[in-house]
Amino acid sequence: MEASKIHTENDQQRNISLWKNSNFLLLWGANVTSLFGLQVYMIVMPLIIYDLSKSALAMSTMRMIEILPNILLGIVAGVIVDRLSRKKIMTVTVVFQWLSIAGILLLLLFQGIQLWSLFLLGFIFSSSGYFFLNAYHSSIPQLISKEQLTDANAKFSFVDTMIRMIGPGIVGFVLAATSFQKTVSIQLICISAMFVLIRLIKVPLVDQKGKQNSFWIDVKEGIMELIGNKVLLTPTVAILLINLSSSIIIGILLFFAVDIIGVSESEVGLMLSLGAIGGLFGALLLKKLVRHFPRGKIFTYVLVFEFIGYGILVFANSWLVIGMALAIRTFAVTIVNIIYLAFRQEFTPNHLLGRVAGTTSMLMKLAMPVGFLFAGLWAEWLPVRHLFVLTTIIVSLIFISLFRTRFYNIA
């Protein structure tokens, strides 16, 4: 009876304005608190590790541990998200995140913190966060109409970019004025707020289509859905290659800026902030673009901006030029990612969405260490600027290939 009531209430809200949809607002609020808490984590955790070890290897090991859940648990998370209540999964994973950060705070307070404990708690935090994000993204189509998915993802992306821009400055100020312990306490407050907001959301149960398969059959079903869904497979392959080129740039950009161009530490901050501005414009402009052009065409033609961004890096000679190149590139990447998320939510049956999201996320994250390693080896033996030429070639090939696909004309 209660589940039926939730379905009825959700059906009434799905087609109303996003800002009048209470479930959307609660999810949006949970996203805001989650993102700000994550900024605390991303800044404080490396500093704690460095303070303990004075080791770049220890810091990079933590970065690898944060990526591992996407690779190791991607498909597993997808099956669980499709089988169980997505609200319960979000609730439980927020509790695990709270416990892991509370554990770090207690170790700091009692001065018992060690590297192995940070690695363990960091893995629990990252794994819980990955399960949360899968359930979070899979629940969005249950709360709003298909016609609103692109707009909703644009709103999520806008606030994500905004917090990434202003968050580090706020966290840095708090950290400078207080201590590790008090700064980590802020993240604990953010996670507590997330818990309250998630508990208030009314997410209907997933329709299992009357089936209860084995785990491996469920895994296969998700993989086959991705392979057989030609509308979704095309942008998935495109983004896989885009992520590969992005990871190549990320892996070498700071080395290029500091070692070759001679950018100072303060200029690095300005450069990255300038780059993030492109994401804000992308999220704001997309809603207007989709009114006039098919999303497949927008996805395709916006790659021209990514091509231009990489092309500018080939000739960059100052932090300002690098920042402008990053802004142009981020503009394109933001639009591509928003459209892809909306397509995945719109063209995947909801009872398979967790598995498809888990599979695609795993594939895309696998591209990152490959790109990092490739960029590092290249920089050891070959000119870095030639690497930027390579990424422009990759993007141009993706652009040309999309013209021959059905996806190109999809609205």
Side-chain angles (χ1 to χ4, degrees):
M1 191 71 179
E2 184 65 25
S4 176
K5 181 180 178 182
I6 291 175
H7 273 285
T8 302
E9 291 177 357
N10 275 75
D11 288 342
Q12 292 172 349
Q13 291 199 45
R14 280 169 62 87
N15 292 301
I16 65 176
S17 167
L18 290 176
W19 297 124
K20 294 180 180 179
N21 184 328
S22 60
N23 285 323
F24 172 80
L25 290 175
L26 289 167
L27 199 64
W28 187 84
N31 182 51
V32 171
T33 54
S34 172
L35 288 169
F36 188 77
L38 187 61
Q39 288 300 304
V40 175
Y41 179 87
M42 295 298 290
I43 292 172
V44 173
M45 183 65 86
L47 292 176
I48 294 174
I49 291 173
Y50 182 76
D51 189 59
L52 277 173
S53 66
K54 302 294 188 296
S55 168
L57 178 60
M59 296 172 73
S60 61
T61 299
M62 191 67 209
R63 178 59 179 154
M64 182 187 71
I65 287 172
E66 291 165 357
I67 296 175
L68 275 179
N70 295 65
I71 298 172
L72 299 178
L73 303 176
I75 295 178
V76 175
V79 172
I80 293 174
V81 165
D82 283 342
R83 285 189 174 191
L84 304 179
S85 162
R86 287 164 181 171
K87 177 178 176 177
K88 286 183 179 178
I89 292 171
M90 287 190 284
T91 303
V92 171
T93 53
V94 169
V95 169
F96 273 101
Q97 286 192 307
W98 192 94
L99 290 172
S100 59
I101 298 303
I104 293 172
L105 180 58
L106 287 174
L107 290 172
L108 285 170
L109 289 171
F110 292 100
Q111 298 182 344
I113 201 159
Q114 298 181 36
L115 278 179
W116 70 266
S117 59
L118 283 179
F119 291 158
L120 175 61
L121 292 171
F123 182 78
I124 294 172
F125 178 82
S126 299
S127 299
S128 302
Y130 178 72
F131 273 82
F132 174 86
L133 283 176
N134 192 313
Y136 167 87
H137 285 296
S138 297
S139 67
I140 293 174
Q142 297 177 270
L143 304 178
I144 63 175
S145 66
K146 284 187 175 182
E147 294 74 20
Q148 294 174 316
L149 286 173
T150 301
D151 187 24
N153 283 297
K155 286 178 168 57
F156 288 130
S157 179
F158 178 84
V159 74
D160 184 355
T161 306
M162 180 65 75
I163 291 175
R164 289 177 189 274
M165 284 180 61
I166 65 175
I170 296 173
V171 174
F173 176 79
V174 172
L175 189 58
T178 57
S179 62
F180 284 141
Q181 293 91 327
K182 291 182 180 179
T183 310
V184 172
S185 298
I186 293 174
Q187 185 178 8
L188 208 58
I189 294 171
C190 289
I191 298 174
S192 301
M194 282 174 61
F195 178 83
V196 174
L197 293 168
I198 293 298
R199 292 300 300 163
L200 293 173
I201 299 174
K202 297 175 181 177
V203 183
L205 295 175
V206 178
D207 183 3
Q208 295 293 336
K209 306 296 181 182
K211 297 187 297 183
Q212 189 63 36
N213 298 322
S214 71
F215 175 83
W216 293 112
I217 290 177
D218 276 354
V219 169
K220 181 180 178 182
E221 193 175 11
I223 294 172
M224 293 309 295
E225 169 63 27
L226 175 61
I227 295 173
N229 189 336
K230 302 303 180 185
V231 173
L232 187 62
L233 184 61
T234 298
T236 298
V237 174
I239 288 190
L240 179 63
L241 295 174
I242 290 170
N243 278 3
L244 178 62
S245 61
S246 295
S247 62
I248 290 172
I249 296 300
I250 293 170
I252 205 67
L253 184 64
L254 289 182
F255 171 80
F256 172 73
V258 175
D259 191 76
I260 297 178
I261 303 298
V263 174
S264 68
E265 291 181 0
S266 60
E267 289 172 338
V268 166
L270 292 171
M271 177 184 81
L272 296 177
S273 296
L274 179 59
I277 292 174
L280 294 179
F281 282 105
L284 288 172
L285 185 61
L286 182 58
K287 185 176 181 179
K288 295 181 179 180
L289 290 175
V290 296
R291 293 174 183 168
H292 304 287
F293 306 101
R295 286 174 294 172
K297 283 187 170 65
I298 297 172
F299 184 105
T300 302
Y301 283 110
V302 82
L303 292 180
V304 172
F305 289 92
E306 188 163 7
F307 176 90
I308 292 171
Y310 288 144
I312 292 173
L313 284 177
V314 176
F315 305 100
N317 57 6
S318 70
W319 71 267
L320 181 61
V321 176
I322 296 175
M324 291 172 60
L326 292 178
I328 294 170
R329 177 193 163 275
T330 307
F331 170 80
V333 170
T334 299
I335 291 178
V336 163
N337 286 337
I338 292 171
I339 291 176
Y340 179 73
L341 279 175
F343 265 73
R344 190 170 70 189
Q345 293 162 348
E346 186 175 338
F347 289 95
T348 304
N350 195 257
H351 70 286
L352 294 169
L353 187 52
R355 279 166 281 177
V356 171
T359 303
T360 55
S361 177
M362 181 189 70
L363 291 173
M364 291 170 188
K365 290 298 181 183
L366 279 172
M368 294 182 68
V370 174
F372 291 155
L373 179 61
F374 180 78
L377 292 174
W378 183 292
E380 287 292 323
W381 304 102
L382 298 168
V384 173
R385 292 184 190 274
H386 292 179
L387 194 58
F388 300 147
V389 174
L390 177 63
T391 55
T392 62
I393 293 172
I394 293 173
V395 173
S396 63
L397 291 176
I398 299 169
F399 174 74
I400 294 169
S401 300
L402 285 174
F403 282 102
R404 297 177 174 271
T405 66
R406 176 189 170 195
F407 168 76
Y408 175 71
N409 291 304
I410 292 291

